[in-house]
Amino acid sequence: MTGNCQRAKALKVSGAIAIVFGALTIAAGGRALFGGAVARAAVGDAVPFVLWFNFAAGFAYVAAGTGLWSLRLWASWLSVLIAGGTALVLVAFGLHVFLGGAFEMRTVGAMFLRTFVWAAISAVAIRQTIR
């Protein structure tokens, strides 16, 4: 496999992961934000700014994933912005927890997962496009 084919494959795989991750994020966030009383009760002590950020970011995930799949340079930079934004929200969430704010433990895991996934996607994207 040539270098260009390997780069394209890495970007397409990253793009596919981003699109699926985005679709799942939009569905889960939409259900939590706009679902009925039962859906809202199921989220427990969700932190509103984290919930809204993740829901909105889901659309950016799909956009970045589509761009990566299409081998667009801008998608690599969008991936970096998503990773950075997610890391900043993780820090803000950590501060919220440190100051005694209510939260769900699953949010801790989800935010670390999101940060890791987007750090990995952006690293692959930048590595494959900056050659």
Side-chain angles (χ1 to χ4, degrees), residues 1-83:
M1 197 180 281
T2 68
N4 284 340
C5 285
Q6 288 174 328
R7 279 191 277 261
K9 183 177 179 182
L11 290 170
K12 285 186 179 284
V13 168
S14 294
I17 291 168
I19 291 167
V20 170
F21 201 58
L24 292 172
T25 298
I26 293 165
R31 204 170 24 260
L33 289 167
F34 308 115
V38 173
R40 284 192 299 277
V43 299
D45 288 323
V47 179
F49 75 88
V50 173
L51 188 55
W52 277 103
F53 172 83
N54 287 336
F55 176 68
F59 294 96
Y61 298 175
V62 173
T66 302
L68 291 171
W69 182 269
S70 302
L71 310 176
R72 302 289 186 234
L73 179 61
W74 59 263
S76 297
W77 297 109
L78 179 55
S79 297
V80 171
L81 287 173
I82 291 168

Side-chain angles (χ1 to χ4, degrees), residues 84-104:
T86 304
L88 287 174
V89 171
L90 175 60
V91 169
F93 172 69
L95 183 61
H96 169 81
V97 171
F98 179 76
L99 293 175
F103 70 100
E104 291 291 328

